[in-house]
Amino acid sequence: MTNRQTPRISTRKQPQQARSTELVAAILEAAIQVLAKEGATRFTTARVAEKAGVSVGSVYQYFPNKAAILFRLQSDEWQQTTQMLRAILANNHAAPLERLRTLVHAFIRSECEEAQMRVALNDAAPLYRNAPEAVEVRAAGQQIFEGFMLELLPGVTEPTRTLACDLILTTLSSVGKDFSGSPRTAEDIAVYADGMADMFRAYVIALNHS
């Protein structure tokens, strides 16, 4: 049986001049609009080019296929989340449990704000989910949180810490997606995030005293 090849998702080249940077920005903005309107199944490079007001050839200068465009959108979202994660968890002026609460609030709020785009990108995920570039981007966020877990659970065994890390991240991701599936007010988000943070706090305290 012939294995299906993973599509190339790296950009062809990086823009070096202001004009090129503006072109890529226009392509990505057009891609966001096409994805929001048409969904992943009707997302095409031709539609993106038409929306951006450029030729298909101009798009192909930077993105070899539609998977590369979609991955760039997803990668940008992942990187924003990773930067948020790093900024919150690296704040040593706050106690670890305070940082965890701040992270929960920021993550749930972000999930609600980006719900529509996230759903569309999830539909497109099979195009790039297992590509090396995608694995690398996801691993960066995982590594940051694993480092934070050493502060959060300094006295537990490594297997226990690993399990706690996986449980917290999986719960955040799964519950955040489910909660953001419906429109939420700022008050709804705050109440829900507080409840989740309280749950994590109790879990961490119990592990530290076991």
Side-chain angles (χ1 to χ4, degrees):
M1 180 181 296
T2 302
N3 293 328
R4 295 180 61 186
Q5 293 186 341
T6 301
R8 178 186 177 191
I9 59 174
S10 298
T11 54
R12 290 188 185 278
K13 64 178 181 179
Q14 296 297 324
Q16 300 296 323
Q17 300 178 346
R19 184 176 179 181
S20 299
T21 300
E22 291 172 0
L23 174 59
V24 170
I27 291 170
L28 293 175
E29 179 58 34
I32 290 173
Q33 295 178 33
V34 171
L35 188 61
K37 180 180 179 181
E38 304 290 349
T41 57
R42 290 176 52 81
F43 183 93
T44 65
T45 304
R47 285 193 171 96
V48 172
E50 181 181 6
K51 189 69 177 178
V54 300
S55 68
V56 174
S58 294
V59 177
Y60 282 138
Q61 286 184 45
Y62 299 96
F63 302 98
N65 48 49
K66 72 174 185 179
I69 302 174
L70 290 166
F71 176 70
R72 172 61 183 271
L73 296 180
Q74 180 67 85
S75 179
D76 286 350
E77 182 186 0
W78 280 335
Q79 289 180 15
Q80 289 171 7
T81 300
T82 299
Q83 290 169 5
M84 176 187 73
L85 190 73
R86 182 182 289 110
I88 293 172
L89 298 185
N91 178 19
N92 294 324
H93 296 294
L97 282 172
E98 292 178 24
R99 281 179 265 164
L100 181 60
R101 180 174 296 276
T102 300
L103 174 64
V104 171
H105 275 265
F107 183 83
I108 296 298
R109 185 168 57 250
S110 174
E111 286 289 283
C112 291
E113 291 172 350
E114 300 169 357
Q116 182 181 8
M117 182 59 62
R118 189 193 64 247
V119 169
L121 286 172
N122 281 343
D123 290 340
L127 292 172
Y128 54 74
R129 181 186 289 120
N130 297 320
E133 298 95 328
V135 173
E136 181 179 351
V137 172
R138 291 196 300 269
Q142 176 81 19
Q143 186 175 14
I144 292 170
F145 200 80
E146 287 174 353
F148 171 66
M149 292 300 292
L150 289 171
E151 294 185 67
L152 198 62
L153 295 167
V156 306
T157 64
E158 184 174 346
T160 298
R161 189 182 299 114
T162 299
L163 175 62
C165 178
D166 181 66
L167 189 150
I168 292 174
L169 287 178
T170 300
T171 301
L172 264 178
S173 177
S174 299
V175 176
K177 288 177 182 178
D178 182 74
F179 178 73
S180 63
S182 301
R184 307 290 183 177
T185 66
E187 183 179 2
D188 291 336
I189 294 171
V191 171
Y192 199 85
D194 264 333
M196 183 178 290
D198 287 343
M199 180 179 67
F200 288 152
R201 177 186 176 86
Y203 174 57
V204 169
I205 291 175
L207 287 178
N208 278 324
H209 288 83
S210 61

